[in-house]
Every structure is written in structure tokens, then in C-alpha cells.
Short mmCIF file of all heavy atoms in Angstrom, two decimals:
data_model
loop_
_atom_site.label_atom_id
_atom_site.label_comp_id
_atom_site.label_asym_id
_atom_site.label_seq_id
_atom_site.Cartn_x
_atom_site.Cartn_y
_atom_site.Cartn_z
N LEU A 1 220.40 117.73 118.54
CA LEU A 1 219.04 117.09 118.84
C LEU A 1 218.03 118.21 118.46
O LEU A 1 217.58 118.92 119.35
CB LEU A 1 219.01 116.66 120.29
CG LEU A 1 217.74 115.89 120.65
CD1 LEU A 1 217.71 114.63 119.84
CD2 LEU A 1 217.79 115.63 122.15
N ILE A 2 217.72 118.36 117.27
CA ILE A 2 217.01 119.52 116.76
C ILE A 2 215.47 119.39 117.29
O ILE A 2 214.84 118.36 117.08
CB ILE A 2 216.95 119.64 115.23
CG1 ILE A 2 218.41 119.86 114.80
CG2 ILE A 2 216.14 120.76 114.76
CD1 ILE A 2 218.59 119.69 113.34
N VAL A 3 215.05 120.46 117.95
CA VAL A 3 213.67 120.58 118.39
C VAL A 3 213.09 121.88 118.04
O VAL A 3 213.84 122.85 117.78
CB VAL A 3 213.56 120.32 119.90
CG1 VAL A 3 213.97 118.93 120.28
CG2 VAL A 3 214.32 121.29 120.67
N VAL A 4 211.79 122.02 118.03
CA VAL A 4 211.07 123.30 117.85
C VAL A 4 210.21 123.54 119.05
O VAL A 4 210.07 122.72 119.90
CB VAL A 4 210.25 123.25 116.62
CG1 VAL A 4 211.12 123.07 115.34
CG2 VAL A 4 209.18 122.12 116.65
N GLU A 5 209.89 124.85 119.13
CA GLU A 5 209.11 125.31 120.35
C GLU A 5 207.81 124.50 120.51
O GLU A 5 207.49 124.14 121.62
CB GLU A 5 208.78 126.78 120.22
CG GLU A 5 209.91 127.69 120.37
CD GLU A 5 209.54 129.14 120.31
OE1 GLU A 5 208.36 129.46 120.41
OE2 GLU A 5 210.51 129.98 120.07
N GLY A 6 207.21 124.10 119.44
CA GLY A 6 206.02 123.26 119.51
C GLY A 6 206.22 121.89 120.12
O GLY A 6 205.21 121.24 120.55
N THR A 7 207.45 121.46 120.20
CA THR A 7 207.77 120.16 120.79
C THR A 7 208.18 120.36 122.24
O THR A 7 207.78 119.57 123.13
CB THR A 7 208.95 119.53 120.03
OG1 THR A 7 208.72 119.32 118.71
CG2 THR A 7 209.32 118.20 120.66
N ILE A 8 209.00 121.40 122.61
CA ILE A 8 209.49 121.50 123.91
C ILE A 8 208.50 122.03 124.97
O ILE A 8 208.49 121.52 126.08
CB ILE A 8 210.75 122.40 123.91
CG1 ILE A 8 211.67 122.11 125.11
CG2 ILE A 8 210.42 123.82 123.81
CD1 ILE A 8 212.35 120.81 125.05
N TYR A 9 207.67 122.97 124.61
CA TYR A 9 206.66 123.49 125.61
C TYR A 9 205.69 122.49 126.13
O TYR A 9 205.49 122.39 127.32
CB TYR A 9 205.97 124.72 125.00
CG TYR A 9 206.88 125.93 124.99
CD1 TYR A 9 207.33 126.42 123.77
CD2 TYR A 9 207.29 126.58 126.11
CE1 TYR A 9 208.18 127.54 123.74
CE2 TYR A 9 208.11 127.68 126.11
CZ TYR A 9 208.58 128.16 124.89
OH TYR A 9 209.34 129.24 124.83
N PRO A 10 205.11 121.58 125.27
CA PRO A 10 204.30 120.57 125.86
C PRO A 10 205.04 119.61 126.71
O PRO A 10 204.50 119.13 127.78
CB PRO A 10 203.68 119.86 124.64
CG PRO A 10 203.81 120.85 123.50
CD PRO A 10 205.03 121.63 123.81
N LEU A 11 206.28 119.29 126.37
CA LEU A 11 207.13 118.39 127.22
C LEU A 11 207.40 119.05 128.53
O LEU A 11 207.27 118.38 129.61
CB LEU A 11 208.44 118.12 126.50
CG LEU A 11 209.41 117.31 127.26
CD1 LEU A 11 208.91 115.94 127.73
CD2 LEU A 11 210.75 117.14 126.54
N LEU A 12 207.75 120.35 128.58
CA LEU A 12 208.03 120.99 129.85
C LEU A 12 206.69 121.00 130.74
O LEU A 12 206.80 120.79 131.91
CB LEU A 12 208.53 122.37 129.59
CG LEU A 12 209.95 122.49 128.96
CD1 LEU A 12 210.21 123.94 128.58
CD2 LEU A 12 210.95 121.96 129.94
N SER A 13 205.58 121.28 130.08
CA SER A 13 204.33 121.32 130.85
C SER A 13 204.04 119.90 131.44
O SER A 13 203.59 119.81 132.57
CB SER A 13 203.13 121.70 129.99
OG SER A 13 203.32 123.03 129.58
N ARG A 14 204.24 118.89 130.64
CA ARG A 14 203.95 117.50 131.18
C ARG A 14 204.90 117.12 132.27
O ARG A 14 204.50 116.59 133.28
CB ARG A 14 204.09 116.51 130.04
CG ARG A 14 203.73 115.12 130.49
CD ARG A 14 203.74 114.10 129.33
NE ARG A 14 205.06 114.04 128.66
CZ ARG A 14 206.15 113.41 129.10
NH1 ARG A 14 206.15 112.88 130.31
NH2 ARG A 14 207.26 113.40 128.45
N LEU A 15 206.17 117.51 132.14
CA LEU A 15 207.16 117.24 133.25
C LEU A 15 206.81 118.00 134.51
O LEU A 15 206.90 117.50 135.60
CB LEU A 15 208.59 117.55 132.76
CG LEU A 15 209.19 116.63 131.64
CD1 LEU A 15 210.51 117.18 131.23
CD2 LEU A 15 209.25 115.21 132.23
N LYS A 16 206.32 119.21 134.32
CA LYS A 16 205.91 120.04 135.45
C LYS A 16 204.67 119.40 136.13
O LYS A 16 204.61 119.29 137.40
CB LYS A 16 205.67 121.43 135.07
CG LYS A 16 205.31 122.33 136.28
CD LYS A 16 204.61 123.58 135.93
CE LYS A 16 204.11 124.32 137.08
NZ LYS A 16 203.11 123.68 137.89
N ASN A 17 203.73 119.02 135.29
CA ASN A 17 202.43 118.44 135.90
C ASN A 17 202.75 117.05 136.59
O ASN A 17 202.03 116.67 137.44
CB ASN A 17 201.45 118.21 134.74
CG ASN A 17 200.86 119.55 134.23
OD1 ASN A 17 200.91 120.52 134.92
ND2 ASN A 17 200.31 119.50 133.06
N ASP A 18 203.79 116.38 136.14
CA ASP A 18 204.22 115.09 136.74
C ASP A 18 205.00 115.35 138.07
O ASP A 18 205.44 114.37 138.66
CB ASP A 18 205.02 114.23 135.77
CG ASP A 18 204.16 113.70 134.61
OD1 ASP A 18 202.88 113.73 134.71
OD2 ASP A 18 204.72 113.24 133.65
N GLY A 19 205.32 116.60 138.31
CA GLY A 19 206.08 116.94 139.57
C GLY A 19 207.57 116.78 139.38
O GLY A 19 208.33 116.84 140.42
N LEU A 20 208.02 116.70 138.13
CA LEU A 20 209.52 116.47 137.92
C LEU A 20 210.20 117.75 137.72
O LEU A 20 211.46 117.85 137.96
CB LEU A 20 209.72 115.56 136.70
CG LEU A 20 209.05 114.25 136.66
CD1 LEU A 20 209.29 113.47 135.46
CD2 LEU A 20 209.43 113.46 137.91
N LEU A 21 209.48 118.81 137.34
CA LEU A 21 210.00 120.20 137.19
C LEU A 21 209.25 121.18 138.03
O LEU A 21 208.10 120.99 138.21
CB LEU A 21 209.98 120.66 135.69
CG LEU A 21 210.66 119.77 134.69
CD1 LEU A 21 210.46 120.49 133.30
CD2 LEU A 21 212.14 119.64 134.92
N SER A 22 209.93 122.29 138.32
CA SER A 22 209.15 123.41 138.80
C SER A 22 209.76 124.61 138.13
O SER A 22 210.76 124.48 137.36
CB SER A 22 209.37 123.66 140.34
OG SER A 22 210.73 123.80 140.61
N TYR A 23 209.18 125.76 138.18
CA TYR A 23 209.67 126.93 137.55
C TYR A 23 209.56 128.17 138.31
O TYR A 23 208.80 128.27 139.38
CB TYR A 23 209.07 127.17 136.13
CG TYR A 23 207.61 127.42 136.17
CD1 TYR A 23 207.14 128.72 136.38
CD2 TYR A 23 206.64 126.46 135.91
CE1 TYR A 23 205.76 129.02 136.41
CE2 TYR A 23 205.36 126.71 135.92
CZ TYR A 23 204.86 127.99 136.14
OH TYR A 23 203.54 128.26 136.14
N GLU A 24 210.26 129.19 137.98
CA GLU A 24 210.20 130.53 138.67
C GLU A 24 210.32 131.61 137.58
O GLU A 24 211.11 131.46 136.70
CB GLU A 24 211.40 130.57 139.56
CG GLU A 24 211.67 131.91 140.22
CD GLU A 24 212.98 131.88 141.02
OE1 GLU A 24 213.09 131.08 141.92
OE2 GLU A 24 213.84 132.74 140.73
N TRP A 25 209.47 132.60 137.71
CA TRP A 25 209.50 133.76 136.82
C TRP A 25 210.63 134.68 137.24
O TRP A 25 210.78 134.96 138.42
CB TRP A 25 208.16 134.48 136.84
CG TRP A 25 207.09 133.79 136.15
CD1 TRP A 25 206.08 133.02 136.73
CD2 TRP A 25 206.84 133.72 134.76
NE1 TRP A 25 205.21 132.57 135.76
CE2 TRP A 25 205.69 132.94 134.51
CE3 TRP A 25 207.48 134.25 133.61
CZ2 TRP A 25 205.12 132.67 133.27
CZ3 TRP A 25 207.01 133.99 132.39
CH2 TRP A 25 205.83 133.21 132.15
N ARG A 26 211.36 135.12 136.26
CA ARG A 26 212.41 136.06 136.53
C ARG A 26 212.38 137.20 135.50
O ARG A 26 212.16 137.00 134.28
CB ARG A 26 213.82 135.41 136.42
CG ARG A 26 214.04 134.42 137.49
CD ARG A 26 215.54 134.09 137.58
NE ARG A 26 215.73 132.89 138.44
CZ ARG A 26 216.68 132.13 138.34
NH1 ARG A 26 217.65 132.26 137.37
NH2 ARG A 26 216.79 131.08 139.13
N GLU A 27 212.64 138.37 136.00
CA GLU A 27 212.74 139.56 135.10
C GLU A 27 213.92 139.36 134.18
O GLU A 27 215.00 138.73 134.49
CB GLU A 27 213.00 140.83 135.90
CG GLU A 27 211.76 141.25 136.74
CD GLU A 27 210.53 141.49 135.93
OE1 GLU A 27 210.66 142.08 134.78
OE2 GLU A 27 209.39 141.18 136.33
N SER A 28 213.76 139.90 132.94
CA SER A 28 214.87 139.79 131.96
C SER A 28 215.26 141.19 131.54
O SER A 28 214.44 142.15 131.50
CB SER A 28 214.27 139.00 130.68
OG SER A 28 215.18 139.12 129.62
N THR A 29 216.54 141.34 131.21
CA THR A 29 216.99 142.63 130.80
C THR A 29 216.75 142.85 129.29
O THR A 29 216.92 143.89 128.74
CB THR A 29 218.54 142.71 131.01
OG1 THR A 29 219.18 141.64 130.28
CG2 THR A 29 218.92 142.68 132.44
N GLN A 30 216.31 141.75 128.63
CA GLN A 30 216.10 141.79 127.18
C GLN A 30 214.60 141.50 126.75
O GLN A 30 214.35 140.80 125.77
CB GLN A 30 216.98 140.82 126.45
CG GLN A 30 218.47 141.07 126.73
CD GLN A 30 219.31 139.96 126.15
OE1 GLN A 30 218.84 138.88 125.75
NE2 GLN A 30 220.64 140.22 126.11
N GLY A 31 213.67 141.93 127.57
CA GLY A 31 212.28 141.65 127.25
C GLY A 31 211.42 141.32 128.37
O GLY A 31 211.76 141.62 129.53
N PRO A 32 210.40 140.49 128.08
CA PRO A 32 209.50 140.17 129.22
C PRO A 32 210.10 139.16 130.20
O PRO A 32 211.13 138.57 129.91
CB PRO A 32 208.26 139.48 128.51
CG PRO A 32 208.89 139.02 127.21
CD PRO A 32 210.02 139.98 126.88
N PRO A 33 209.48 139.01 131.35
CA PRO A 33 209.97 137.96 132.35
C PRO A 33 210.09 136.61 131.69
O PRO A 33 209.32 136.23 130.81
CB PRO A 33 208.97 137.96 133.47
CG PRO A 33 208.26 139.28 133.30
CD PRO A 33 208.26 139.55 131.88
N ARG A 34 211.04 135.79 132.20
CA ARG A 34 211.23 134.38 131.65
C ARG A 34 210.91 133.41 132.75
O ARG A 34 211.19 133.63 133.93
CB ARG A 34 212.70 134.26 131.16
CG ARG A 34 213.03 135.15 130.07
CD ARG A 34 214.40 135.01 129.64
NE ARG A 34 214.72 135.81 128.42
CZ ARG A 34 215.91 136.00 128.01
NH1 ARG A 34 216.96 135.55 128.67
NH2 ARG A 34 216.16 136.75 126.89
N LYS A 35 210.41 132.31 132.31
CA LYS A 35 210.15 131.15 133.14
C LYS A 35 211.36 130.19 133.18
O LYS A 35 211.73 129.63 132.15
CB LYS A 35 208.91 130.44 132.60
CG LYS A 35 208.26 129.42 133.56
CD LYS A 35 207.19 128.68 132.92
CE LYS A 35 205.90 129.53 132.68
NZ LYS A 35 204.78 128.67 132.25
N TYR A 36 212.06 130.25 134.36
CA TYR A 36 213.22 129.32 134.44
C TYR A 36 212.80 128.02 135.13
O TYR A 36 212.19 127.95 136.14
CB TYR A 36 214.28 130.02 135.33
CG TYR A 36 215.12 130.94 134.54
CD1 TYR A 36 214.65 132.29 134.24
CD2 TYR A 36 216.36 130.63 134.11
CE1 TYR A 36 215.38 133.19 133.56
CE2 TYR A 36 217.09 131.50 133.34
CZ TYR A 36 216.66 132.74 133.11
OH TYR A 36 217.43 133.67 132.32
N TYR A 37 213.17 126.90 134.47
CA TYR A 37 212.87 125.56 134.89
C TYR A 37 213.94 124.92 135.73
O TYR A 37 215.13 125.23 135.42
CB TYR A 37 212.50 124.66 133.73
CG TYR A 37 211.24 125.10 133.00
CD1 TYR A 37 211.25 125.98 131.95
CD2 TYR A 37 210.01 124.53 133.40
CE1 TYR A 37 210.13 126.39 131.30
CE2 TYR A 37 208.86 124.91 132.75
CZ TYR A 37 208.89 125.81 131.68
OH TYR A 37 207.73 126.16 131.09
N VAL A 38 213.60 124.13 136.75
CA VAL A 38 214.61 123.39 137.46
C VAL A 38 213.99 122.06 137.85
O VAL A 38 212.73 121.88 137.97
CB VAL A 38 214.90 124.24 138.71
CG1 VAL A 38 213.74 124.35 139.72
CG2 VAL A 38 216.09 123.63 139.57
N LEU A 39 214.83 121.04 138.05
CA LEU A 39 214.37 119.73 138.43
C LEU A 39 213.96 119.79 139.95
O LEU A 39 214.65 120.43 140.70
CB LEU A 39 215.52 118.69 138.34
CG LEU A 39 215.81 118.17 136.87
CD1 LEU A 39 216.91 117.18 136.91
CD2 LEU A 39 214.57 117.62 136.18
N THR A 40 212.92 119.09 140.23
CA THR A 40 212.49 118.96 141.63
C THR A 40 213.22 117.78 142.15
O THR A 40 213.90 117.03 141.47
CB THR A 40 210.95 118.71 141.74
OG1 THR A 40 210.67 117.42 141.03
CG2 THR A 40 210.13 119.89 141.08
N PRO A 41 213.10 117.53 143.53
CA PRO A 41 213.72 116.33 144.07
C PRO A 41 213.18 115.09 143.37
O PRO A 41 213.96 114.12 143.12
CB PRO A 41 213.42 116.38 145.53
CG PRO A 41 213.31 117.84 145.88
CD PRO A 41 212.69 118.45 144.60
N LEU A 42 211.94 115.00 143.09
CA LEU A 42 211.34 113.89 142.39
C LEU A 42 211.90 113.73 141.00
O LEU A 42 212.15 112.66 140.46
CB LEU A 42 209.79 114.01 142.28
CG LEU A 42 209.03 112.84 141.61
CD1 LEU A 42 209.29 111.60 142.39
CD2 LEU A 42 207.55 113.22 141.56
N GLY A 43 212.18 114.92 140.32
CA GLY A 43 212.80 114.90 139.03
C GLY A 43 214.24 114.32 139.07
O GLY A 43 214.61 113.66 138.21
#
């Protein structure tokens, strides 16, 4: 199911704005902190 970054980031933002996802910043051993997404109870 081939996707590109330009497709996935707006989708993640919309799902977050709809209350279906939340995220948490985490430090990475391979670069800058990463935003980890998780489903909310509503999600």
C-alpha cells in the first residue's frame, strides 16, 4: 500500500485533530526526537 510522506502526515494530523490519535515525543538514538502515534480510546 505505497504511500509517500506527503500523504501520511496530513492524514495523521487530521486523525489527531479528530481525537482519534495522540502522540508522544521520544528521544531517538539515531537523530532528532520522534513523534510516536497511538490510538486514543475514541480511535
Side-chain angles (χ1 to χ4, degrees):
L1 187 64
I2 300 168
V3 295
V4 294
E5 289 182 16
T7 303
I8 201 72
Y9 285 108
L11 173 62
L12 291 171
S13 291
R14 185 176 55 75
L15 292 172
K16 185 200 173 295
N17 290 340
D18 290 347
L20 304 177
L21 302 180
S22 63
Y23 64 82
E24 172 184 304
W25 286 101
R26 291 195 193 155
E27 292 298 323
S28 171
T29 59
Q30 301 176 347
R34 295 178 176 170
K35 195 185 286 189
Y36 279 79
Y37 292 89
V38 64
L39 286 180
T40 63
L42 182 60

